[in-house]
Amino acid sequence: MSKMWGGRFNKSTDTMTDDFNSSISFDQRLYRQDIKGSMAHAKMLGKQKIITPEESELIIKTLGEILADIEAGKVEFSIDMEDIHMNVESILTERIGDTGKKLHTGRSRNDQVATDMRLYVKDACAELQADIRSLAMTLLDLANKHTKTIMPGYTHLQRAQPITFAHHLMAYVEMFKRDLKRLGQVVEMADILPLGSGALATTTYPLDRYYVAQELGFGNVSMNSLDGVSDRDFCIDFLEAVSVFMMHLSRFSEEIILWCSSEFNFITLDDAFSTGSSIMPQKKNPDIAELVRGKAGRTFGDLLGFLTTMKGLPLAYNKDMQEDKEPVFDAFDTAKICAVTFEKMVGTMTVNTEVMRKSAAGGFSNATDAADWLVKHGVAFRDAHAIIGKLVFYALEQGKSLDELTLEEYQAVDPVFDDSIYKAIDLNTCVNQRDLIGGPAEATVKRAIAINKGLIGGKK
């Protein structure tokens, strides 16, 4: 089959060259964006009288039919046509003859594919934002059930201070809010129409680029044709945003994996989101969380790989840029399935509240509150820190917790102690006196939940 660009060539390309050069195996998923862009371009060509209104209408009508046929599975793409752009144009020409050949007037595959990718990234961001909102809302609902569930907070993976499970979950809600904002920023970066840049130096045809931008929902048009065809920053921005989101999911997955171990036993995963061992009948493995944690590395590879591809490219378009599609597609697919599956996993897990509280009671997580009690009774903080350190050392020797020490034992270390120390180090007091904005107190967390539900909105 002759190539659409084959006029300058006297010899056919090698079969291996065709296979190596072709991108239709993966860029066919851009068919919707490609046809949408072509319909807007054809409409503009007719408006500008570059082609007749009748030709414009016929092209637009036929492109709509091709779109319907593709979505119905009636179209088989050809590797000889190399990519989605040439495949669609070839099918169009087969159906309406020479009129179909006029569609490509005033454009190049260079600005066409750049437009397709921008449309795709904008669509991908919107879809991922919906998934992240849904996940965040599930966490908010779960947090609302556990504003009284006390658990240990950690630093260095050592028990530090008592918090609530709701407060812990809300930390991830904050991360996901930043992910939503980051994806919104990617949309802003992608919201520039490159169509009209031509191969690299625009065209002599009187195109109305702002009209096409309006038709396709772009906020602006590119101001430099060289940059218009060669800019893939928006793809890198997308990969970076996805990587950060996956990093957040990976951190959460690590905690899920720890929490469902026998050593922690803070949660029990639903059987539907666990697997067993082929040899050990007692095992219940957190494979979903482990896979999410592992797939984070995959998206990091997508980002680093494409950064490396772009780092040495001269202006303007180079075929290397064909490598933008697979990492973007892979990162989107990976993040989407991880977000959806992770939401179902956390939404169905059982929280072992008594185990969490018992763990918070151990490990001297209320030691800071004991020191604060001393400060409120006139002891300098550094002295209070030393006094409670001695009490902790003594309690460890005696095999006791701070609330199990007698008042005599407290006063043997410092006579300032009185009975009110026990209320101060009660776990409920430790948590609920921390009622500053951002703190773990029940009322504070409930306010944060209400605010975030309003900000994030309902599920998809």
Side-chain angles (χ1 to χ4, degrees), residues 187-223:
V187 171
E188 290 181 18
M189 296 294 284
D191 198 30
I192 298 170
L193 176 73
L195 202 62
S197 298
L200 80 160
T202 70
T203 178
T204 58
Y205 296 101
L207 306 183
D208 188 341
R209 297 187 65 205
Y210 287 103
Y211 177 82
V212 177
Q214 184 177 6
E215 286 291 305
L216 293 176
F218 282 100
N220 212 331
V221 301
S222 56
M223 292 290 105

Side-chain angles (χ1 to χ4, degrees), residues 46 49 51-58:
K49 297 182 171 51
I51 61 177
T52 68
E54 293 76 21
E55 290 170 330
S56 173
E57 290 173 10
L58 178 60

Side-chain angles (χ1 to χ4, degrees), residues 176-188:
F176 296 147
K177 280 165 58 182
R178 293 194 294 273
D179 291 323
L180 290 171
K181 184 175 182 179
R182 203 171 281 111
L183 286 167
Q185 291 168 339
V186 174
V187 171
E188 290 181 18

Side-chain angles (χ1 to χ4, degrees), residues 63 90 110 153 290:
L63 285 172
S90 173
N110 294 358
E290 291 174 353

Side-chain angles (χ1 to χ4, degrees), residues 19-31 77 82-84 113 117 120 319-327 329-330 333:
D19 291 342
F20 190 58
N21 190 50
S22 172
S23 60
I24 189 62
S25 63
F26 51 85
D27 72 11
Q28 61 183 273
R29 73 191 289 170
L30 293 173
Y31 72 86
F77 296 116
E82 298 179 5
D83 54 37
I84 187 61
V113 69
M117 282 302 292
Y120 180 87
K319 191 71 171 184
D320 315 48
M321 292 178 190
Q322 182 169 290
E323 293 298 307
D324 61 351
K325 298 169 191 63
E326 288 182 288
F329 297 161
D330 180 69
D333 291 343

Side-chain angles (χ1 to χ4, degrees), residues 204-419:
T204 58
Y205 296 101
L207 306 183
D208 188 341
R209 297 187 65 205
Y210 287 103
Y211 177 82
V212 177
Q214 184 177 6
E215 286 291 305
L216 293 176
F218 282 100
N220 212 331
V221 301
S222 56
M223 292 290 105
N224 183 281
S225 58
L226 291 169
D227 183 61
V229 298
S230 63
D231 171 28
R232 293 299 184 274
D233 290 359
F234 65 95
C235 292
I236 293 168
D237 293 333
F238 176 75
L239 293 170
E240 188 268 341
V242 169
S243 294
V244 174
F245 169 61
M246 288 299 296
M247 178 268 289
H248 291 154
L249 277 188
S250 183
R251 294 183 70 180
F252 204 165
S253 293
E254 173 69 11
E255 296 200 305
I256 294 289
I257 293 161
L258 289 171
W259 290 345
C260 71
S261 67
S262 299
E263 287 72 18
F264 277 78
N265 195 30
F266 284 2
I267 62 166
T268 303
L269 293 177
D270 190 89
D271 286 356
F273 297 95
S274 306
T275 63
S277 166
S278 63
I279 187 172
M280 296 169 282
Q282 84 281 10
K283 294 296 293 297
K284 184 175 180 180
N285 299 324
D287 281 12
I288 299 303
E290 291 174 353
L291 282 169
V292 170
R293 185 177 61 182
K295 287 180 184 295
R298 176 173 177 156
T299 59
F300 299 171
D302 290 330
L303 170 61
L304 183 57
F306 190 55
L307 276 170
T308 306
T309 297
M310 291 296 296
K311 75 176 183 64
L313 298 187
L315 293 174
Y317 181 81
N318 296 272
K319 191 71 171 184
D320 315 48
M321 292 178 190
Q322 182 169 290
E323 293 298 307
D324 61 351
K325 298 169 191 63
E326 288 182 288
V328 167
F329 297 161
D330 180 69
F332 170 72
D333 291 343
T334 301
K336 182 172 182 62
I337 193 171
C338 286
V340 172
T341 308
F342 194 91
E343 179 187 353
K344 291 180 179 179
M345 180 183 67
V346 296
T348 57
M349 69 186 183
T350 300
V351 181
N352 301 326
T353 58
E354 289 305 314
V355 176
M356 283 186 173
R357 185 180 184 90
K358 184 177 179 181
S359 181
F364 304 98
S365 65
N366 51 2
T368 302
D369 296 270
D372 288 342
W373 183 93
L374 285 170
V375 171
K376 292 170 184 176
H377 285 74
V379 180
F381 180 77
R382 284 299 167 199
D383 293 334
H385 189 284
I387 290 167
I388 299 305
K390 291 177 182 177
L391 273 169
V392 169
F393 184 78
Y394 173 79
L396 283 168
E397 287 185 324
Q398 302 302 312
K400 294 181 178 181
S401 61
L402 287 179
D403 56 326
E404 291 173 332
L405 294 176
T406 66
L407 183 57
E408 289 74 18
E409 287 173 310
Y410 271 103
Q411 292 177 337
V413 176
D414 196 298
V416 73
F417 285 110
D418 61 38
D419 283 341

